[in-house]
Amino acid sequence: MIRNSQIKSVDLQAFYNKTYDTGYKNVFSKYSDGKDTSESNNFLLDIIDWKGKKVLDFGCGPGLTAKFLADAGANVDGIDFSKNAILEAKKLNDPRLNFLHGSIDDINDNYDVIVSLGTIEHMENPDYAIREFTDHLHFGGGLILTCPNWINT
């Protein structure tokens, strides 16, 4: 449920809902001919042994990174504020994955690792988001954030 002041932008939410309605692979630049060409997932494999980790993928979109991490051995919860993104993610139908339509205030568990790729720059209050993320990490847990390089956009 979207209920906080963290994501007030109904315009951004409407954009992402439309994006997932019309086919996200036609919109996001990391896709070329329908294939994911980003390097983020491979980078994630290099920095953590995911086996047995409890992971939150915040801003999970259609769940592709969550699925990638589950295939590497993690149990993954995904949260996205686009209802349509979550509908796409649930099509993955994998018992290691759990998806929720919601916002930062809907994080209700603690995690070994929280991953949020390319979302922090969309937050109206990034400091609040980072505090919430760290509040939901197990002791010694890790937070992985990415933000696009504006020169590449």
Side-chain angles (χ1 to χ4, degrees), residues 114-143:
I114 296 177
V115 174
S116 189
L117 305 180
T119 60
I120 198 74
E121 70 275 12
H122 298 288
M123 302 283 182
E124 292 187 20
N125 188 342
D127 292 336
Y128 174 78
I130 291 170
R131 280 192 305 275
E132 284 299 303
F133 289 150
T134 57
D135 286 349
H136 290 281
L137 285 171
H138 290 141
F139 180 77
L143 173 61

Side-chain angles (χ1 to χ4, degrees), residues 58-113:
F58 186 82
C60 66
L64 302 180
T65 296
K67 174 74 165 114
F68 187 82
L69 297 176
D71 288 345
N75 291 303
V76 186
D77 292 341
I79 296 177
D80 201 286
F81 72 96
S82 169
K83 185 186 303 186
N84 294 348
I86 294 301
L87 292 173
E88 282 294 316
K90 287 183 176 183
K91 291 178 184 177
L92 295 170
N93 199 24
D94 186 320
R96 302 166 299 177
L97 301 171
N98 179 51
F99 295 107
L100 172 71
H101 171 238
S103 70
I104 197 99
D105 290 331
D106 293 305
I107 301 172
N108 59 12
D109 211 340
N110 290 326
Y111 296 90
D112 299 313
V113 181

Side-chain angles (χ1 to χ4, degrees), residues 15-77:
F15 167 79
Y16 280 114
N17 279 333
K18 182 178 178 185
T19 296
Y20 291 105
D21 272 348
T22 60
Y24 61 92
K25 291 182 181 179
N26 297 322
V27 175
F28 294 120
S29 61
K30 73 179 197 168
Y31 291 97
S32 176
D33 295 324
K35 290 185 81 174
D36 184 347
T37 60
S38 70
E39 298 174 356
S40 299
N41 286 347
N42 290 331
F43 171 76
L44 291 173
L45 276 186
D46 292 340
I47 59 173
I48 292 178
D49 177 6
W50 297 96
K51 289 185 182 83
K53 296 284 191 290
K54 184 175 182 181
V55 176
L56 172 64
D57 182 3
F58 186 82
C60 66
L64 302 180
T65 296
K67 174 74 165 114
F68 187 82
L69 297 176
D71 288 345
N75 291 303
V76 186
D77 292 341

